[in-house]
Amino acid sequence: MVTFQDIIRRLTRFWEEQGCILQQGYDLEVGAGTFNPATFFRCLGPEPYRACYVEPSRRPTDGRYGLNPNRVQHYFQFQVMLKPAPLNIQELYLQSLEAVGFNLKEHDVRFVHDDWESPTLGASGLGWEVWMDGMEITQFTYFQNCGGLPLKPVTGELTYGLERLALYIQKVESIFDIQWTGDITYGDIYQQSEYEWSRYNFEESDARLWLQHFDAYEKEASLLVAKGLVIPAYDFVMKASHAFNMLDARGVISVTERTSYIARVRQLACDVAKAYLLSREKQKFPLMPRFKGIREEVPVKLTPKERLPEELMDASSDEKMDYLLEIGSEELPASFIEPALESLQGKLRALFDKENIPYTAIEMYGTPRRLAACVKGLSLAKPARTEERKGPAKESAFDADGSLKPAGLGFFKAVAAKPLALQEIAAGRHPKVRLREIGGKEYLFATIQEDSRPTTDILMETLPDIILGIDFPKKMRWSDLDISYARPLRWIVSLFGNHIVPFTVGNITAGRESTGHSQLHPWAFALVKSEDYLPILKDHKVIADIAERKKIIAKKIREIEECQGAVAAEKEKVLNQVVNLVEWPELLTGTFKAEYLKAPTEVLISEMVEHQKYFPLIKKDGTLKSCFIITANTRPTDKVREGNERALSPRLADGLALFEADLKIPLHELNERLKSITFQKDLGSVFAKVERLTRHAALIQQKLGISTPEQCARAALLSKCDIASRMVFEFPELQGTMGRHFALAQGETAEIAHAIEEHWMPKGEAAPLPSTPTGIVISLAEKFDNLLGSALVGLKATSSSDPYALRRQALGLIKILIANSLKLPLRELMQDLIDHFPLELRKRKEGAVDEVLEFLMNRIRTVFLEFGLSKDAIEASASIGFNDVYDSFLKAKAFQNFREKEGRFYKLFEVYKRVKGQLTSQKSINFSEALLEERAEIALHKLLQTTEEPFHSAVSSGRYDEAYRMIAEIQPALATLFDEVKIMAEDPKIQGNRLALLQLVFDRFSKLLDFSKIRE
């Protein structure tokens, strides 16, 4: 049997043979091997370094009292740091697994996208979680930043989960059953320790003491940095980080306040990193000459152009071949692949259009390890063409004496022609530029002759930039190269027919060699011609066509559904993820213990879908089946099935254990715990927030007249109770949902239970809104509290950052009001709500209300557009204020209906345009009925009088469609007025009175919107 010690020994031996220093774990509590100075310090600056060590790590929140088979608060990581990251680091990693004792052909080894980040260290990197049969066994990262500093060269970091490797290789179900040696188990050494430390971390630790520790460590670290004692200062950064982790385990830091604590530790780490780098620079980077042979430069050889095949270089534009470009890399994030293919296709189209190179079509293919474009029927040469370009007029191009002006010089430069004086041009002595008369005026014209050029020449010149310019959400650097891509490049195929089109990108030379499936056919092979691409890849167990892979997976899902008598849940969501996680999809089913079904369905599905990328199966009666579908990227063996079952079971067991433990805690006790959880330092505890929500809800319920005061009070009181639960700590995305489960289990009504869940809604841009009356009230109270509270303490969303999700809160509030036809006077309501905040914060009352109103106004425009309202209707409504969201929405919608359905609108608008100049410039003149002379103006005034009361009644009661119909009824009388009456009469009094009459007409519009904002 391979013991725990054997695994450590074998990994140590392997990496020692790769030139690593054998270091030791650090003598302080750290959350991961990255904190060890051997990684944190050594990845900074230009000095090479290689080290490996076992790091005892502590994450207090992961403690499970020694009862969970796969979760412990103290564990061991085997850390490897390689600087610069070797170009073959991925191969070395896989070889290290074989050195441990794994036969990789028997397992589904997957590199799953994970953009690693250590916020407290100001460190980040790109890479993967490495999964073996569904269980994460290693964190594989290319460091990009550390201590807030960009890294060059890039460090490769491998963090092996030693316990997980041992679980697999020893085929045991529990960490505590791992054989440390032949006769001593992991549990013999550490299980009691897990129990006692879990008790301390969660129950007995003194939160006030750890708060004092945090402040003291923070202060000491700052003092030591100032004194130039960088290495001791970093020890206190680690101590502060651990103090934060202890506070986190005690649940005394809310999600809101965590951001502040993390920022404080990160600032210390950044200060230390900068000081350390300066220290090494003063020492002239003493390790620069060491670690010889870490990376050997391989000279890049390109075929000279004169030695390229004549078939490519001497061809005409009438000759065509297929061109293949395949960009091979380490595993791309699944979500990057399809957008990247669109980007690459767009760039190729733009190139061929710009160069006027004909082609038939561009077919795109992609897998986790390759992006490919096959350009069908691409001309072997760019056709010759002649283009005539018009320049400036003669007078603009030349002075009176015939010398060139700036405009003329600019034209000559633009057409790459030698500048000549006017006399020379007029005499026809310029080979490219001449004068030509158009409409009696002379202009400069240039004839630009473009010669035919081999397409190969253009491809060689442009493809490197096109490849490096592909749009990805994130790009990375690797090793010591000066290029960036989504993941390290490994090969490039560039074939025009059966000929190589050579070029270089970084250390890669384009050729004809591709690579097969990473496990089923893990070797390179040569492509003879571009047309062979898809069939040859299939021979090497790669299906490059995304649509074909998706069809295969969907077909196999249907077959399993029929066999199981069930339906796959979250089918489209999971399918769109797994299709780009595999190159050769194989499906199989796994099972889990039926007892786990006692946990909430949402928890089980979350684990299977979000974490494991499985398809849960739902029975015909709508309940969950203890069975799931696995998408493998290798042969679907029993070992792969058993491995995935072993990966899922501890997660489900953990969820069930946490749920059952939380159910035993009364809701009032959970609420009591909220008093010790800080919501935000100036806004108090989460319980203080609950008390505000209770008062907010009472006021909002009274104004809306929905639900009941008793239901709103109870739902608000319990709205945050699940935050104090272990379930929500472990599954924060289920906050509210778990509150509903807890409330129902403890006898609360369905209305209150659903309100607890719904008050978080909407959770995303297109997510559901609350549907119960009580849920609506509490959700609005929550959003007003967050928006007003943030304004009162100076927390704002910026264009690049919104850590408190204020935009989502605002959009949700607006959508709830519109969707439920709820009228609320925002300013008046918020002025009352602010009285529920601490007295010392109320000093900013008016400023805070104005700030929130402005913030809401910008979001209201966005939501109104989503509801199909036109921009000018929205702006016309905005001009008279958005104090009542739903009322403003009704006004804008009524106007839009009026414009679209009432033909008389445009006639009214024509009248408005005719007189708006006079109306805006006219001083205010009182209208006098006595000055009316003509029949038409008397009739219009009488119509205004008879409709005035019904119109104002319609407006005041919100019947805006009816109000617009009454405005439309004025149009015939207005038309008659303009046909029969001279508005701009000779008599100033009559003229002013007639304009005042028109103003009475358009004053009606101002009750609904600002007519001047309307566009035709």
Side-chain angles (χ1 to χ4, degrees), residues 195 722 979 981:
Y195 168 73
D722 59 350
D979 287 342
V981 178

Side-chain angles (χ1 to χ4, degrees), residues 769-796:
L769 300 174
S771 59
T772 65
T774 310
I776 289 166
V777 171
I778 309 304
S779 182
L780 290 172
E782 164 79 1
K783 286 157 184 59
F784 278 118
D785 187 78
N786 289 333
L787 292 166
L788 286 169
S790 296
L792 287 169
V793 300
L795 299 174
K796 296 183 181 181

Side-chain angles (χ1 to χ4, degrees), residues 575-642:
L575 179 55
N576 288 330
Q577 292 179 31
V578 298
V579 70
N580 287 321
L581 285 174
V582 295
E583 293 194 312
W584 190 263
E586 296 282 5
L587 270 62
L588 62 162
T589 58
T591 61
F592 57 85
K593 293 177 183 177
E595 67 183 83
Y596 297 151
L597 294 172
K598 291 186 287 185
T601 300
E602 296 91 342
V603 174
L604 303 179
I605 289 179
S606 175
E607 287 287 15
M608 286 188 268
V609 172
E610 303 299 336
H611 294 281
Q612 298 299 120
K613 320 300 180 194
Y614 298 149
F615 295 91
L617 287 170
I618 305 291
K619 298 178 191 175
K620 291 179 181 178
D621 64 3
T623 61
L624 196 62
K625 192 178 175 77
S626 58
C627 186
F628 58 95
I629 301 174
I630 305 157
T631 310
N633 191 37
T634 189
R635 296 180 188 88
T637 65
D638 287 339
K639 279 195 174 181
V640 172
R641 175 185 291 105
E642 290 164 7

Side-chain angles (χ1 to χ4, degrees), residues 819-882:
N820 294 283
S821 307
L822 300 173
K823 292 187 177 183
L824 270 179
L826 297 182
R827 179 177 291 279
E828 295 85 343
L829 174 65
M830 288 194 288
Q831 285 173 334
D832 290 339
L833 292 178
I834 277 187
D835 290 338
H836 303 155
F837 284 86
L839 182 62
E840 61 273 17
L841 295 179
R842 296 182 213 163
K843 298 171 185 174
R844 290 196 66 242
K845 181 172 181 175
E846 290 304 322
V849 170
D850 289 341
E851 184 181 312
V852 174
L853 280 173
E854 183 181 353
F855 187 72
L856 285 171
M857 184 169 286
N858 292 328
R859 267 79 242 165
I860 287 169
R861 290 183 171 92
T862 301
V863 175
F864 279 17
L865 283 171
E866 289 178 14
F867 275 88
L869 298 182
S870 63
K871 286 185 178 180
D872 63 339
I874 295 168
E875 291 307 316
S877 297
S879 296
I880 61 171
F882 277 152

Side-chain angles (χ1 to χ4, degrees), residues 666-686:
L667 297 179
H668 68 82
E669 188 175 321
L670 287 173
N671 250 20
E672 190 66 22
R673 294 180 184 182
L674 299 178
K675 294 179 180 179
S676 62
I677 301 176
T678 304
F679 170 65
Q680 198 276 337
K681 61 184 179 68
D682 297 315
L683 293 169
S685 68
V686 176

Side-chain angles (χ1 to χ4, degrees), residues 392-447:
K394 182 175 75 175
E395 294 77 11
S396 302
F398 298 97
D399 286 331
D401 63 357
S403 299
L404 281 164
K405 291 182 179 179
L409 283 168
F411 178 68
F412 277 91
K413 184 178 180 181
V415 298
K418 180 182 177 181
L420 291 179
L422 176 61
Q423 295 80 0
E424 299 290 315
I425 301 294
R429 297 196 182 103
H430 200 292
K432 290 177 66 174
V433 181
R434 64 193 182 284
L435 290 168
R436 185 196 298 175
E437 185 178 312
I438 299 177
K441 198 171 185 179
E442 288 188 294
Y443 292 84
L444 285 175
F445 276 84
T447 302

Side-chain angles (χ1 to χ4, degrees), residues 83-149:
K83 177 188 175 186
L87 296 174
N88 65 337
I89 184 174
Q90 202 175 44
E91 286 87 346
L92 289 174
Y93 167 71
L94 293 172
Q95 289 169 24
S96 75
L97 294 180
E98 291 175 336
V100 168
F102 290 102
N103 181 353
L104 297 186
K105 292 180 181 178
E106 297 178 348
H107 298 280
D108 185 14
V109 179
R110 206 88 62 86
F111 291 81
V112 179
H113 171 214
D114 183 56
D115 292 342
W116 172 86
E117 185 177 10
S118 175
T120 51
L121 292 182
S124 63
L126 278 68
W128 312 273
E129 293 176 353
V130 184
W131 290 9
M132 183 179 286
D133 302 331
M135 180 177 281
E136 181 189 355
I137 57 170
T138 308
Q139 183 81 39
F140 188 137
T141 307
Y142 290 96
F143 275 20
Q144 303 294 296
N145 301 280
C146 189
L149 300 172

